[in-house]
Amino acid sequence: MQYLKFLGSLLKDAGEAALDFPQRMPSQVKGSDANQVVTAADLYIGSQIKRHIVKHFPQDSVIDEESGVTAGPSPITWVIDPIDGTSNFAVGSPLFGVMVGVLEHGNPVAGGVALPALAEIYVAEAGQGAYRNGERLRIPSDCDFSQQLIAYGMDIHPQEISLDCGLIAGIASRCRGIRMSNSIFDCMMVAKGAYGAFMHRRNGIWDCVAAQVVIEEAGGVFSTMDGSALDYGNPLAETSGSFSILACAPSLHEAITEMTRKHLLA
């Protein structure tokens, strides 16, 4: 268990730092995408996480959503999202999280998520399982689609709204209900078995790595929305890339990917 203890401590400190900031924070748009905002908390927490990683793992590379890439000679890359759900955080919503993932030769090997407002810390390492506050997580292997809550994250891109809404309607016709925090909160609800699936069409690498390890080590499936594997083969070059993601119980994967291909790829 090379990373579990370190990730747990790192995320505990980061979560406490997030809660020290005011409930409402000034934010500013990053670049030309109005869906992407940043606050002083993002910058501070990212710098603190990065400082601790560099101190303990000086040979490793680090990708921080806010400060960019620091390249190192080892095959390990740490991937940081200081606050996922910044728009939520900035207006005082508790539905946000802190994410740290670890790649080795481009393969996800460890990761963790803090949900500070809920006092929950999720950590996982390849082959070692996934844990929430020290308790082992196990996603049910066999789920009745009609009884599941399905989360769908959607940023507002006017040219794509009709595509998202068509897919959401298709899923809604088969499940118990749709939920939408548009943050890592939804994905962790899959990890603990509260939701059957979480989907989002536009994600940075920092949105994916930690979540993937937690979901897979909890017994779930983590893929693109059409069912293919995510490729982090050259992680330092992926900071401007975009991934779709589907995190779900194994028994739901085929049905959801079929609907995705029907509504988004037709």
Side-chain angles (χ1 to χ4, degrees), residues 218-236:
V221 180
F222 196 97
S223 71
T224 67
M225 285 172 58
D226 68 3
S228 57
L230 281 79
D231 182 1
Y232 311 115
N234 187 9
L236 301 187

Side-chain angles (χ1 to χ4, degrees), residues 1-259:
M1 296 188 180
Q2 180 179 359
Y3 296 111
L4 289 178
K5 185 176 179 180
F6 180 76
L7 282 167
S9 176
L10 196 67
L11 290 162
K12 179 178 182 292
D13 291 346
E16 290 173 352
L19 294 178
D20 284 340
F21 282 86
Q23 282 198 330
R24 288 181 173 268
M25 288 284 296
S27 62
Q28 60 184 28
V29 174
K30 297 189 295 184
S32 59
D33 187 351
N35 296 286
Q36 300 299 315
V37 298
V38 63
T39 70
D42 295 82
L43 301 175
Y44 175 80
I45 292 168
S47 69
Q48 292 302 301
I49 293 174
K50 186 174 181 178
R51 179 174 64 83
H52 285 296
I53 292 171
V54 170
K55 177 182 177 180
H56 289 87
F57 302 93
Q59 300 299 306
D60 296 352
S61 297
V62 181
I63 300 172
D64 172 20
E65 180 183 5
E66 308 306 340
S67 67
V69 171
T70 299
S74 90
I76 304 296
T77 301
W78 295 75
V79 187
I80 305 166
D81 190 344
I83 295 183
D84 184 75
T86 301
S87 293
N88 297 348
F89 174 79
V91 299
S93 167
L95 302 182
F96 68 91
V98 182
M99 306 169 66
V100 181
V102 186
L103 297 167
E104 183 173 3
H105 293 295
N107 298 307
V109 294
V113 175
L115 301 181
L118 303 182
E120 293 184 348
I121 294 178
Y122 298 75
V123 292
E125 188 168 348
Q128 303 296 330
Y131 303 84
R132 168 189 166 272
N133 291 354
E135 181 180 352
R136 186 74 179 259
L137 294 168
R138 291 182 175 85
I139 295 172
S141 60
D142 188 15
C143 296
D144 180 348
F145 203 154
S146 68
Q147 298 303 308
Q148 300 303 307
L149 297 176
I150 307 296
Y152 195 103
M154 188 173 79
D155 295 326
I156 304 302
H157 298 278
Q159 70 275 21
E160 299 173 356
I161 288 176
S162 62
L163 294 174
D164 283 307
C165 289
L167 178 54
I168 290 170
I171 294 170
S173 69
R174 295 191 57 180
C175 71
R176 175 181 282 185
I178 301 293
R179 299 295 181 264
M180 190 179 292
S181 82
N182 205 31
S183 76
I184 189 60
F185 167 84
D186 288 336
C187 194
M188 292 303 97
M189 293 305 101
V190 177
K192 67 192 292 185
Y195 293 176
F198 168 65
M199 311 168 68
H200 199 298
R201 287 209 297 128
R202 289 178 176 268
N203 304 271
I205 189 171
W206 39 78
D207 300 311
C208 303
V209 177
Q212 179 166 354
V213 183
V214 173
I215 292 294
E216 291 183 342
E217 286 298 309
V221 180
F222 196 97
S223 71
T224 67
M225 285 172 58
D226 68 3
S228 57
L230 281 79
D231 182 1
Y232 311 115
N234 187 9
L236 301 187
E238 292 291 351
T239 57
S240 60
S242 182
F243 301 86
S244 74
I245 60 174
L246 165 62
C248 66
S251 59
L252 304 181
H253 191 256
E254 182 177 358
I256 293 175
T257 54
E258 285 180 359
M259 284 187 283

